[in-house]
Amino acid sequence: MLMFDFHCHCILSDGELLPSELVRRVEILGYQAIAITDHADASNLDHIIPRLVKVAGDINRHGGTRLLPGVELTHVHPELISRLAAEARDLGARVVVCHGETVVEPVCPGTNRSALEADIDILAHPGFISEEEARLAARRGIFLEISGRKGHSLTNGYVARLARAHNAPLVINSDGHAPGDFMTAEHARRVGRGAGLSAEEVEALYRRAADWLKQKVQA
Ligand SMILES: [Zn+2]
Ligand SMILES: [Zn+2]
């Protein structure tokens, strides 16, 4: 069964696990790939990304679950997102996530919009994203996230409805910080169904993610 997660955290920010343990734990859950995307701003981008690139080099030589080094730009001013996303790419981030306007944190208004105009891959937990922003995500091929995380998941149904209406790509991520947060393939599909997606829409979402991953790995 296809299974990925492109948004989670290790000890390089506020997660509990070393990258190696995190990857091992999802390997036994049958994941084909995982992106570790630690919280970053200008203070720590150059701390996190080179370390994830280094450990990914080691881990990926031995097969199993593929580790993609990434980052989650978190609570940075909307005007800084584009520059920091470019810096993250230069440092070797394969997956750039932006911490969107979740309803459970005071994320700066305008974050969703600026993130969708920047070189990012995934807008995490976008909260009450606008119709125009959903269209922008579709046009730019940026994934809108259905979150497995408590709190952020409150608007999953809303996000799924707008994504369907405007043909924006969706991805289901755990936003895991601790061992118990990583979802089985079955649970991730329940999260998708719980957001109002059909079983077929959920499988289509994973097939699209698989194609995207293939391009990432070959790039
Ligand atoms: Zn976040
Ligand atoms: Zn996160």
Side-chain angles (χ1 to χ4, degrees), residues 7 39 72 99 124-125 152 175:
H7 175 186
H39 296 292
E72 182 180 14
H99 184 90
H125 44 71
H152 294 333
D175 199 354

Side-chain angles (χ1 to χ4, degrees), residues 161-178:
R161 185 171 65 75
L162 257 71
R164 182 193 283 130
H166 299 290
N167 213 15
L170 285 171
V171 65
I172 298 170
N173 291 322
S174 70
D175 199 354
H177 289 65

